[in-house]
Amino acid sequence: MPSTKYQYFSFFFLLLTSTPILASAARCDKADKFALIAIKSELNNPPGLSSWTSNTSCCTWNGIDCNATTGRVTSLDIFAQNISAPIPPSIAKLTALQSLNAPYNQFYGPIPPFLGLLPQLTFLRLDGNLLTGSIPPTLTILDLSLVGNRLTGPLPPSFAKANFADLALGDNQLTGDASFLFGRDKNLNALNLANNKFKFNLTNVEIPEVLDILVIDHNKIYGSIPAEVAARKWLQFDVSYNQLCGPIPQGRYTHRFGAKHFDHNKCLCGRPLAPCK
């Protein structure tokens, strides 16, 4: 009789090997397949989507993941396909979509508000494109990256109450107040606002308890760095090229970052910069 250890290993191996087979063999939802064919056409039939053919299951296509039980499309990945087009309107028909990953293309035009209305979408990455205009107020998506586009204007007020985990808006031309993104009880893990034109007072913002990445360099942020920064276990921290003033809070994890992460402010002082007078 096989040992308990062997039985456990056999069950674990079966679980690992059977799951992807079920997922890849899932029967593609008919409506989702029609939507994907329309998306391919709206993207001018790029070579990277050549596997998207009407005589095969869409769950086997490149860049597509499906729910193993329902066959609904849950993930759409169009990473660095050299696509030049507006964001396809037929994506709105993929109502079970949870993840849309489409960075490093040449998508242009505004971000369509319907993306934020997809009921199950929790991951949206559109960085490294040519998107313009303002950010739609509907785009309160858990994990959102719009880095490296040409977006302008202030953040929508709806972002104040949004439940972001990771928010990356760097390298755009965004303006105005972004202080409402902060809050001690928010679940924000990472915030990137670098290389924009944000202008707000950092002095009294409450740093979220779980925040361990704060990159807000190259803006017009003023005031002082909150004292609570000293006690956090930062993975990334950069407040350089702003208008900040006063002593840098001294803590174990702020010390790991060199002067370049604090430099080029109005009058910051203290380690790793010059001593305060």
Side-chain angles (χ1 to χ4, degrees):
M1 181 176 180
S3 67
T4 302
K5 180 179 180 181
Y6 179 79
Q7 288 177 323
Y8 174 79
F9 175 80
S10 299
F11 172 76
F12 185 67
F13 180 79
L14 179 62
L15 182 64
L16 286 176
T17 55
S18 63
T19 301
I21 292 173
L22 287 172
S24 63
R27 184 174 181 178
C28 177
D29 180 83
K30 186 175 181 180
D32 283 357
K33 185 173 185 178
F34 286 149
L36 289 169
I37 293 293
I39 290 168
K40 180 182 178 182
S41 177
E42 291 162 359
L43 295 177
N44 302 311
N45 301 301
L49 304 186
S50 59
S51 66
W52 294 22
T53 58
S54 58
N55 60 349
T56 57
S57 169
C58 72
C59 298
T60 65
W61 295 353
N62 290 338
I64 302 299
D65 286 330
C66 296
N67 181 286
T69 302
T70 65
R72 295 298 309 274
V73 172
T74 57
S75 178
L76 173 57
D77 190 333
I78 313 175
F79 183 93
Q81 297 284 345
N82 197 31
I83 293 170
S84 179
I87 293 176
S90 293
I91 291 177
K93 300 176 182 178
L94 298 176
T95 55
L97 197 65
Q98 299 172 17
S99 172
L100 174 56
N101 188 41
Y104 306 119
N105 287 287
Q106 298 179 52
F107 286 113
Y108 58 84
I111 300 174
F114 72 73
L115 290 177
L117 299 176
L118 289 168
Q120 298 186 46
L121 192 68
T122 58
F123 180 94
L124 177 61
R125 187 178 178 191
L126 295 173
D127 40 307
N129 283 289
L130 304 173
L131 298 167
T132 55
S134 59
I135 299 175
T138 57
L139 225 62
T140 53
I141 294 167
L142 182 68
D143 194 333
L144 177 64
S145 180
L146 304 174
V147 173
N149 282 282
R150 300 175 180 177
L151 300 170
T152 56
L155 298 181
S158 58
F159 275 28
K161 297 182 179 180
N163 184 31
F164 293 114
D166 294 330
L167 180 61
L169 305 175
D171 298 303
N172 281 286
Q173 300 172 41
L174 298 167
T175 59
D177 188 3
S179 63
F180 53 70
L181 297 175
F182 296 87
R184 184 166 286 109
D185 296 329
K186 291 193 174 185
N187 296 316
L188 189 63
N189 296 303
L191 179 63
N192 176 3
L193 303 178
N195 291 291
N196 279 287
K197 299 177 182 179
F198 289 116
K199 186 175 184 179
F200 61 91
N201 190 340
L202 190 65
T203 306
N204 295 317
V205 301
E206 295 182 343
I207 306 297
E209 293 285 351
V210 296
L211 189 70
D212 54 20
I213 295 175
L214 180 62
V215 181
I216 57 175
D217 57 284
H218 290 84
N219 280 285
K220 300 178 181 180
I221 301 168
Y222 59 94
S224 59
I225 301 176
E228 59 194 294
V229 161
R232 298 304 175 82
K233 297 179 179 180
W234 297 106
L235 299 177
Q236 294 183 50
F237 187 87
D238 196 336
V239 296
S240 62
Y241 290 89
N242 280 290
Q243 298 171 10
L244 297 168
C245 207
I248 296 171
Q250 300 297 303
R252 175 182 175 186
Y253 289 90
T254 54
H255 287 169
R256 65 188 293 183
F257 301 103
K260 68 179 182 179
H261 295 266
F262 300 90
D263 216 350
H264 298 281
N265 273 284
K266 185 177 180 180
C267 53
L268 280 181
C269 59
R271 184 180 175 189
L273 300 182
C276 299
K277 296 179 181 180

